[in-house]
Amino acid sequence: MADVVVVGSGPNGLAAAVILARAGLAVEVYEAEATAGGGSRTAELTVPGYRHDVCAGAHPMALASPFFRAFDLEAHGVELLAPEVSYAHPLDGGMAGLAWRDLEQTVDGLGRDGAAWRSLFAPLVRHWSDVVDFAMSDLRRMPPGLGTAFRFGLRTLEQGTPLWDIRFRDQAAPALLTGIATHAIIPPRAITAAGAGLLLGTLAHAGGWVVPRGGSQAIPDALIAELERLGGRIYTGHRVDSLEEFSDARAIMLDLAPAELLRISGNRLPARYAERLRRFRYGGAACKIDFALSGPVPWRADGCELAGTVHVIGTRAEAMAAEHAVAAGQHAERPYVLSIQPGVVDSTRAPAGGHTFYTYAHVPNGSTRDVSDAVIAQVERFAPGFRDLIVAQNVRTAAEMPAHNANYVGGDISAGAMTLRQFAFRPAVRWNPYTTPIPGVYLCSSATPPGPGVHGMNGLHAARHALRGRFAIHTDPLDLLRTRTPQLR
């Protein structure tokens, strides 16, 4: 009999599982899909030999997350590869903003906005670990680096309000910053979008946005190997339809969206809490198109060929217009396209000479539209000849996303709209967002603080509460991770 059951095998569910197993508890993980990993899976989606990341492709948090720093992915066999340029942002006319890993190299390339970029990011890069500890906290405790948190907050207010252009004079720097803020799939001039952009921008200059050699699957594979070393078990192809299936478990950790909690809880949730979950808002969505290419993307602007991630939209104003269209339930004629070219540093993703090219476009929630023509047109705009390199492509519309990951309700890969309210109070307004009204049942998905991303911190925070609340174990989860021998009880 398991002490702990984890439902869902994304990075957060596996993070919770490893921590609880390190504490000497018997842990079982149940995954609905045939392959474990959730949003960090890798598969041959187009033609044999081309390995594509199913959801997450580049990993800004893999080197920085407190969970992964303590777990140490590289010590567990994951080779993390950092492109010279963390992300690029092409503009019309053959220009581009380039976010090099080296902050000063980035400053040098931004002309008269270089000094403004330095003043925005240098204090955050110097204290990047404090930035991460603040941004990845459960938002309920005082951050350790108050000075850094204050500086981060002021910059977030600047970039999340009409003041966002006050320090810039040219196009490249503001476009470069808007490209990362738009990861939040909301109009980028918003507090939560600005905060996400500043965090990602800081990490771009503090280690870079790495890709795992061989694909993102390497991350959950390392966590699963450690779980199994500790005696834990994982069951794939097992869709959970009721919490009653695990009535003997002392704790149940749910790496699930609120809609899935409602589905499997039956009538066990109090009416008020259940209604709060029903009111939880799902946000803008993604239509994902993976390409098998016969060669590298022929970017017109120098430097884009060195970037692991390229944001394809154009100017800051164009990004705003596209995201406002999505927020209004419309498809942008020129959508925001996030693209990843792992072959810049990882030759294992495709046969010799070939490349995998990962893209998704922002679309309204629940969209059934295949927007691959619009995506190809956007890439062609900045990389003439791209269309001629396409060997094959695979499309997943937003409406199809839940079929391979039920947490992506309507294609929302953030597991909930990143509004200010839902950033602080995910999935419902309560002091402890990881507990539920059902004793021993905890939420550990991206629908809890600190939100989406491959960082494992939602799982860590939930595991801390489960250890203390159900097992009277008060050891810091990070200390458990740093000790390879579990605390047998």
Side-chain angles (χ1 to χ4, degrees), residues 51 53 211 308 340-347 349 355-358:
R51 292 180 55 76
D53 290 324
V211 297
I340 300 173
Q341 40 190 20
V344 168
V345 287
D346 183 5
S347 62
R349 304 293 186 96
H355 283 259
T356 60
F357 189 56
Y358 162 125

Side-chain angles (χ1 to χ4, degrees), residues 154-171:
L154 286 180
R155 286 160 172 76
T156 299
L157 287 173
E158 175 195 305
Q159 289 301 312
T161 66
L163 295 173
W164 74 337
D165 273 327
I166 195 169
R167 70 171 67 226
F168 299 122
R169 292 179 288 173
D170 290 332
Q171 285 192 352

Side-chain angles (χ1 to χ4, degrees), residues 59 62-63 68 71-81 210-225 349 454:
H59 299 278
L63 293 173
F68 283 131
F71 179 76
D72 193 347
L73 284 169
E74 291 187 330
H76 287 81
V78 181
E79 188 177 355
L80 300 173
L81 308 171
V210 297
V211 297
R213 184 179 295 280
S216 293
Q217 186 74 50
I219 293 176
D221 284 353
L223 294 168
I224 291 166
R349 304 293 186 96
V454 180

Side-chain angles (χ1 to χ4, degrees), residues 89-92 171 175 178 313-320 381-382:
H89 195 114
L91 297 165
D92 292 319
Q171 285 192 352
T178 305
I313 182 62
T315 64
R316 170 170 268 189
E318 287 180 281
M320 278 287 284
R381 175 182 167 192
F382 303 105

Side-chain angles (χ1 to χ4, degrees), residues 87-89 173-184 188 197 200 209 311-316 319 336-338 362:
Y87 62 96
H89 195 114
L176 196 60
L177 188 52
T178 305
I180 46 175
T182 308
H183 281 226
L200 294 174
W209 293 8
H311 301 124
V312 185
I313 182 62
T315 64
R316 170 170 268 189
Y336 171 90
V337 178
L338 185 148
H362 291 173

Side-chain angles (χ1 to χ4, degrees), residues 22 220 223 239 352:
R22 284 282 183 96
L223 294 168
R239 185 173 297 278

Side-chain angles (χ1 to χ4, degrees), residues 277-446:
L277 295 187
R278 291 188 190 97
R279 291 203 303 264
F280 184 75
R281 287 179 53 201
Y282 296 94
C287 176
K288 186 160 184 290
I289 305 99
D290 289 288
F291 296 95
L293 303 179
S294 61
V297 179
W299 300 107
R300 179 182 284 128
D302 289 342
C304 289
E305 76 283 359
L306 301 174
T309 301
V310 183
H311 301 124
V312 185
I313 182 62
T315 64
R316 170 170 268 189
E318 287 180 281
M320 278 287 284
E323 294 305 292
H324 275 296
V326 170
Q330 302 167 357
H331 292 83
E333 183 178 350
R334 284 183 162 183
Y336 171 90
V337 178
L338 185 148
S339 69
I340 300 173
Q341 40 190 20
V344 168
V345 287
D346 183 5
S347 62
T348 70
R349 304 293 186 96
H355 283 259
T356 60
F357 189 56
Y358 162 125
T359 69
Y360 68 68
H362 291 173
V363 296
N365 192 281
S367 167
T368 60
R369 184 180 298 185
D370 173 355
V371 298
S372 54
D373 286 345
V375 168
I376 292 170
Q378 280 285 66
V379 178
E380 274 277 333
R381 175 182 167 192
F382 303 105
F386 167 73
R387 190 187 308 269
D388 299 331
L389 299 173
I390 300 173
V391 175
Q393 64 191 62
N394 179 74
V395 180
R396 275 203 176 106
T397 67
E400 292 169 337
M401 286 279 186
H404 75 93
N405 192 325
N407 285 351
Y408 299 159
V409 178
D412 175 2
I413 58 177
S414 298
M418 290 298 290
T419 63
L420 186 58
R421 176 187 175 92
Q422 287 199 172
F423 173 69
F425 299 103
R426 294 169 73 86
V429 177
R430 57 195 280 124
W431 178 251
N432 189 334
Y434 309 100
T435 59
T436 72
I438 305 174
V441 176
Y442 298 82
L443 273 174
C444 64
S445 70
S446 294

